[in-house]
Amino acid sequence: MQNPIRLTVDAVVFGYDAGKISVLLVKRKYEPFQDAWALPGGFVSEDENLEEAVTRELLEETGVSINYLEQLYTFGKLGRDTRGRVVSVAYFGLVKPAAFRIKAATDAKETSWFDIQKLPRLAFDHDKILKIAIERLRGKIIYEPIGFELLDKKFPFSDLEKLYTTLLGREIDRRNFRKKILSLKVLDELDEKVSQGPGRPASLFSFNKERYFKLKAEGIIFEI
Amino acid sequence: MQNPIRLTVDAVVFGYDAGKISVLLVKRKYEPFQDAWALPGGFVSEDENLEEAVTRELLEETGVSINYLEQLYTFGKLGRDTRGRVVSVAYFGLVKPAAFRIKAATDAKETSWFDIQKLPRLAFDHDKILKIAIERLRGKIIYEPIGFELLDKKFPFSDLEKLYTTLLGREIDRRNFRKKILSLKVLDELDEKVSQGPGRPASLFSFNKERYFKLKAEGIIFEI
DNA sequence: GCAAAAGTGTTACAATTACACCCATGT
DNA sequence: ACATGGGTGTAATTGTAACACTTTTGC
């Protein structure tokens, strides 16, 4: 009477640091695809919500705690998993550089960040899932302010600019970009500056979520 | 070892006719929610793809064959189904008026179209699913030419205009709208006219998919 | 004092909006 | 001939894109 379809969740978690977009992968300990890199994830248990399952798997497998998570797509094609019929609900997550750096010290856990330009061969159909996630990231950055989820709470404007340059894959005009972003009134300029290396120190900004949601409710839409 | 989560698919199928957006619902024959209206759908069998399952269920329950179908969202919250843990992959579909009219003759099948402004109480969490589908329809119509999937193959321009007026919920300027759509070069004007009632007869247009895909590949984006 | 990154304004061009009259048909 | 819906152009405004120099710091 029960159908024997099993349900998993997988997470595509992106991080950004120093001009590179990276994705979090884990090395599989067991067959199938033993020792292959794969997206973190696993079977959903009967008494947990899907989001709970992803969050749990992520924490268990990678120690990373997420600050933005949304559902990506559900993959259910016959034959996508060699263990039988397995349907996977994939999620899309973003973390701030802090999480990113923590990992660099705990590499031994078979967890690693990979530059999305230099990906290894992946288990199952995880290459497809990742491809769709990258498209979503690129598409979404343009009309929703998710970029801020990839930056520290306080960031110099140039970080935001570099992030967009990287994600869009083209140069953007600094003056026009600044004008546009500031005109949206969702950034607070702090009374704080940073100077990394030579050059004029930069003011720090922070993203004002309340302001954003207020504007969104009024129908004002974020768009780059 | 198997987890006892069961998987269903549900379809939110929209149709458009005479200035009204309608959704296809079925009346449930069995418990739970016997005699309540619900989205067409049902359990996925082990040897079929998710899309196959939706298409099959739709055909079985409503006789409607779909011409646009995409995955909407996966609903997996605990307690959403009184029969135990059931996760549902919802799909979003559009049909042309032909399918719409056919149904009007076969009402006895416990299948009916409902104006989305006048919905009955729905079974399970189908009201939530439908709400998300309506948002998707509204959002998507602006930057992808899915509107054409709701019209006959050949249609007068005013049909398209009325459809957009309905979906956007506001008046649009006929001249500007026409200019914009025609400038996208995805409509073919046919050597054919229709006149329904009094007034000047209207030229018929058809949507040129090949042209659209070609333009899309070149990076030219449809946007209203 | 010079190299390096931050910060700023103006002008040309493109896109969007607002707006009103003539045309072809049915009755 | 008149009521009804189809079809068209222009001007004002707004938004986008292009473009280069000054400022503040570290070395």
Side-chain angles (χ1 to χ4, degrees):
Chain A
M1 194 45 237
Q2 306 278 61
N3 73 35
I5 298 176
R6 281 174 298 166
L7 194 68
T8 60
V9 283
D10 286 304
V12 185
V13 176
F14 292 108
Y16 171 79
D17 198 34
K20 302 239 179 274
I21 308 282
S22 298
V23 64
L24 191 60
L25 298 177
V26 295
K27 198 174 224 175
R28 289 181 57 82
K29 283 191 182 129
Y30 309 107
E31 290 293 348
F33 292 101
Q34 189 171 14
D35 295 320
W37 290 97
L39 296 171
F43 288 99
V44 178
S45 70
E46 200 195 349
D47 58 354
E48 64 183 351
N49 286 314
L50 300 174
E51 292 77 9
E52 286 166 5
V54 201
T55 318
R56 176 182 54 73
E57 292 281 357
L58 258 177
L59 197 66
E60 282 174 16
E61 294 187 4
T62 72
V64 165
S65 84
I66 209 88
N67 59 292
Y68 179 88
L69 189 72
E70 67 171 44
Q71 196 181 295
L72 177 64
Y73 196 79
T74 298
F75 297 82
K77 213 174 170 183
L78 288 166
R80 61 173 292 279
D81 192 312
T82 48
R83 294 166 294 190
R85 187 71 194 281
V86 179
V87 171
S88 177
V89 184
Y91 279 78
F92 169 100
L94 304 174
V95 295
K96 297 197 182 282
F100 199 101
R101 288 188 201 106
I102 278 165
K103 171 268 132 202
T106 58
D107 201 10
K109 282 185 69 183
E110 305 271 24
T111 294
S112 183
W113 288 98
F114 285 83
D115 183 340
I116 60 167
Q117 307 291 347
K118 295 169 193 164
L119 291 168
R121 189 173 289 279
L122 298 182
F124 307 109
D125 57 351
H126 288 188
D127 53 337
K128 273 183 207 154
I129 300 179
L130 188 44
K131 194 175 156 233
I132 290 176
I134 292 170
E135 281 165 19
R136 176 93 136 232
L137 179 60
R138 293 232 162 88
K140 197 143 185 164
I141 198 95
I142 295 165
Y143 59 90
E144 284 196 52
I146 56 167
F148 303 106
E149 308 293 345
L150 289 165
L151 299 176
D152 284 314
K153 258 192 178 152
K154 302 170 179 185
F155 54 88
F157 209 92
S158 57
D159 274 17
L160 188 64
E161 193 198 325
K162 258 178 244 151
L163 170 62
Y164 272 84
T165 305
T166 306
L167 279 171
L168 300 175
R170 58 179 164 85
E171 292 303 309
I172 48 185
D173 184 279
R174 186 148 39 104
R175 286 164 291 188
N176 292 339
F177 182 72
R178 198 182 171 106
K179 240 183 297 175
K180 196 157 190 177
I181 298 283
L182 291 182
S183 74
L184 298 169
K185 312 252 184 219
V186 292
L187 291 192
D188 294 329
E189 184 166 2
L190 308 174
D191 284 334
E192 220 175 319
K193 292 179 189 288
V194 272
S195 63
Q196 305 125 306
R200 180 171 172 172
S203 290
L204 290 177
F205 289 83
S206 69
F207 177 60
N208 190 323
K209 266 194 194 180
E210 296 85 58
R211 189 107 31 90
Y212 169 65
F213 286 122
K214 217 170 134 193
L215 288 170
K216 196 178 174 184
E218 289 166 10
I220 287 111
I221 288 157
F222 180 93
E223 197 177 328
I224 295 302
Chain B
M1 193 48 239
Q2 307 279 62
N3 72 35
I5 298 176
R6 282 175 296 165
L7 195 66
T8 59
V9 283
D10 287 303
V12 184
V13 177
F14 292 107
Y16 170 79
D17 198 33
K20 301 237 179 274
I21 308 282
S22 298
V23 64
L24 192 59
L25 298 177
V26 295
K27 197 174 226 176
R28 290 182 57 84
K29 282 190 184 132
Y30 308 106
E31 290 293 344
F33 293 100
Q34 189 170 14
D35 294 321
W37 290 97
L39 297 170
F43 288 100
V44 178
S45 71
E46 200 194 348
D47 57 355
E48 65 183 350
N49 287 314
L50 300 175
E51 292 77 9
E52 286 166 4
V54 200
T55 318
R56 176 183 54 73
E57 292 281 358
L58 258 176
L59 197 65
E60 284 175 14
E61 295 188 2
T62 72
V64 164
S65 83
I66 208 89
N67 59 292
Y68 179 89
L69 190 71
E70 68 170 44
Q71 196 181 296
L72 176 65
Y73 197 80
T74 298
F75 297 82
K77 214 173 169 185
L78 289 166
R80 61 173 292 279
D81 191 312
T82 47
R83 295 166 293 189
R85 187 71 195 281
V86 179
V87 171
S88 177
V89 184
Y91 280 77
F92 169 99
L94 303 175
V95 295
K96 298 197 182 284
F100 199 103
R101 288 185 201 111
I102 278 164
K103 171 270 129 202
T106 59
D107 200 11
K109 281 185 72 183
E110 306 271 23
T111 293
S112 183
W113 288 98
F114 284 83
D115 183 341
I116 60 168
Q117 307 290 346
K118 295 168 194 164
L119 292 168
R121 189 172 289 279
L122 298 181
F124 306 111
D125 56 352
H126 289 188
D127 53 338
K128 274 184 206 154
I129 300 180
L130 188 46
K131 194 174 156 234
I132 290 176
I134 293 170
E135 282 166 17
R136 176 92 137 233
L137 177 61
R138 294 234 161 86
K140 198 144 186 163
I141 198 96
I142 295 166
Y143 58 90
E144 284 197 51
I146 55 166
F148 303 106
E149 308 294 345
L150 288 168
L151 299 177
D152 283 314
K153 258 192 177 153
K154 304 170 177 184
F155 54 88
F157 208 92
S158 57
D159 274 17
L160 188 64
E161 194 198 325
K162 258 177 246 152
L163 170 61
Y164 272 83
T165 306
T166 307
L167 279 171
L168 299 176
R170 58 180 163 85
E171 291 305 306
I172 48 186
D173 184 278
R174 187 149 39 107
R175 284 164 293 188
N176 293 339
F177 182 72
R178 198 180 171 108
K179 240 183 295 175
K180 194 155 191 180
I181 298 284
L182 292 180
S183 74
L184 299 169
K185 311 249 184 223
V186 293
L187 290 193
D188 294 330
E189 185 166 1
L190 309 174
D191 284 335
E192 220 175 318
K193 291 179 191 289
V194 272
S195 62
Q196 306 125 306
R200 180 172 172 174
S203 290
L204 290 177
F205 289 83
S206 69
F207 177 61
N208 190 324
K209 267 194 192 179
E210 296 84 57
R211 190 107 30 91
Y212 169 65
F213 286 123
K214 216 170 134 192
L215 288 170
K216 195 179 175 183
E218 289 167 10
I220 287 111
I221 289 157
F222 179 94
E223 199 177 328
I224 297 301

